[in-house]
Amino acid sequence: MQPKNPQAVVAQLTRAAIFLVVTVNPGKENEAAVRALCGDLAALLRAVSFRDLEGRLSCVVAFGSAAWDRLFGTPKPEELHPFREIRGQHHAPATPGDILFHIRSARMDLCFELATQIMSRLGGAVSAVDETHGFNYFDDRDLIGFVDGTENPVEQAACDATLIGDEDAGFAGGSYVIVQKYLHDLKKWNTLPIEQQEKIIGRTKLSDIELDDDVKPSFAHNALTTIMEDGKQLEIVRDNMPFGDAGKGEFGTYFIGYARSPHRIERMLENMFVGQPPGNYDRLLDYSRAVTGGLFFVPSASFLAKFAAD
């Protein structure tokens, strides 16, 4: 079953992004305002993107489990549930969030203008709980110096990895997305020899070549986040972005992963925070701390468009 009319989940990676997470305030009128925005979002996007057609502006809107119940009722996507916190050697917290807006463009001003228009339209219907501005850092590296997203699937493989098909036919073209905000201890990280950093990540730092299996430790980040099932790798699409505040000494990576099932990302996180086997956790977490966590469902563009007709 070919997914129909999805949102821009597999949009081309960009140089700028805004990750905006909000909660819906109590009241039927606020829920109605959110549903009205669903119908207007495509028009808002067209209006802002028309200012620079080469800016490649896109926006994905996704909803948490509790918000879905309030806004849309039933039926509900089969695997939509609240983000499950993980307590292992390190902690992956679950934090508030009803709606995620993932705004991407080659230009930050376009991202900012669309975010402004969205919040202006919603007014007092929502409360912002997190807004993070991400940027492309040199040759697609994160702030710890390694290339991020090397193994992302592309083209049809990306669609196959992210878009629901006949396994939940009522929501075909939809996707699941998990987000986490990580803060890095760069001072501590930068005291490590390059060879030790490479073993923690599982790739060479300069050339971005994956380490051979006989050299790569079992706790390497890319070893623990490679999920095999029935002899096949379960892929996701990452669009992680660095962010920071040099004045505050804050440096981080905003993780965002899209998949046709949240199960595959949850397995990755379980391996990272608890370990595979338990205790063999991701050593990157000794230097990078998760401070947010949310799971959302991305309905198809057709689902959103019906609110314009209503």
Side-chain angles (χ1 to χ4, degrees):
M1 181 175 183
Q2 183 67 25
K4 296 181 180 180
N5 200 19
Q7 293 192 60
V9 167
V10 295
Q12 186 178 353
L13 303 185
T14 58
R15 299 196 63 83
I18 291 179
F19 307 94
L20 177 61
V21 178
V22 303
T23 54
V24 181
N25 293 329
K28 295 297 183 182
E29 69 282 4
N30 295 326
E31 296 166 9
V34 171
R35 287 190 292 269
L37 176 72
C38 291
D40 293 343
L41 187 57
L44 278 178
L45 177 61
R46 288 193 298 269
V48 177
S49 63
F50 191 74
R51 302 183 188 187
D52 181 0
L53 297 179
E54 296 181 356
R56 294 191 288 114
L57 180 66
S58 67
C59 177
V60 171
V61 59
F63 302 89
S65 178
W68 188 279
D69 293 338
R70 291 175 59 190
L71 297 170
F72 311 121
T74 56
K76 186 173 182 176
E78 286 184 358
E79 297 188 78
L80 181 57
H81 57 260
F83 182 86
R84 295 164 179 157
E85 72 168 347
I86 303 172
R87 292 189 178 273
Q89 184 68 27
H90 293 281
H91 180 215
T95 50
D98 287 332
I99 308 173
L100 166 71
F101 296 97
H102 180 198
I103 304 171
R104 289 175 277 189
S105 176
R107 296 173 47 173
M108 178 55 78
D109 57 344
L110 290 177
C111 294
F112 186 79
E113 176 65 15
L114 183 57
T116 301
Q117 293 293 338
I118 288 171
M119 291 304 291
S120 176
R121 183 66 60 90
L122 289 172
V126 300
S127 298
V129 294
D130 186 67
E131 181 177 334
T132 301
H133 293 206
F135 54 87
N136 187 261
Y137 188 60
F138 296 114
D139 50 337
D140 296 315
R141 295 180 183 266
D142 51 33
L143 296 182
I144 63 173
F146 285 79
V147 176
D148 198 357
T150 302
E151 298 297 328
N152 260 354
V154 296
E155 298 178 346
Q156 186 59 48
C159 294
D160 293 341
T162 58
L163 301 179
I164 293 169
D166 56 5
E167 71 270 27
D168 191 4
F171 293 96
S175 184
Y176 294 90
V177 58
I178 286 180
V179 296
Q180 290 178 297
K181 189 173 181 177
Y182 287 86
L183 296 179
H184 306 315
D185 186 342
L186 287 189
K187 289 183 178 179
K188 186 178 178 182
W189 174 256
N190 289 330
T191 63
L192 295 178
I194 298 299
E195 295 79 4
Q196 189 173 344
Q197 293 182 2
E198 291 176 338
K199 288 183 177 180
I200 289 173
I201 300 299
R203 309 187 77 87
T204 57
K205 192 168 187 177
L206 179 61
S207 60
D208 188 40
I209 302 299
E210 186 171 358
L211 299 183
D212 292 336
D213 289 341
D214 58 350
V215 176
K216 183 195 305 182
S218 60
F219 58 73
H221 177 73
N222 63 356
L224 291 171
T225 56
T226 297
I227 305 300
M228 304 297 296
E229 198 168 273
D230 298 327
K232 181 180 179 180
Q233 183 175 344
L234 300 182
E235 294 187 303
I236 70 171
V237 169
R238 301 169 178 83
D239 198 359
N240 303 350
M241 296 289 273
F243 68 91
D245 188 324
K248 295 179 180 177
E250 182 178 271
F251 308 96
T253 296
Y254 199 99
F255 166 78
I256 180 165
Y258 290 99
R260 65 191 300 163
S261 167
H263 168 69
R264 55 186 65 180
I265 304 179
E266 290 171 328
R267 281 190 59 186
M268 293 178 183
L269 297 180
E270 189 77 15
N271 287 355
M272 288 173 60
F273 285 84
V274 175
Q276 181 59 37
N280 187 50
Y281 69 94
D282 187 345
R283 299 307 194 271
L284 180 58
L285 298 177
D286 292 339
Y287 308 89
S288 187
R289 176 170 56 94
V291 295
T292 69
L295 188 159
F296 305 87
F297 181 75
V298 183
S300 68
S302 300
F303 180 92
L304 298 177
K306 73 178 184 180
F307 292 98
D310 292 344

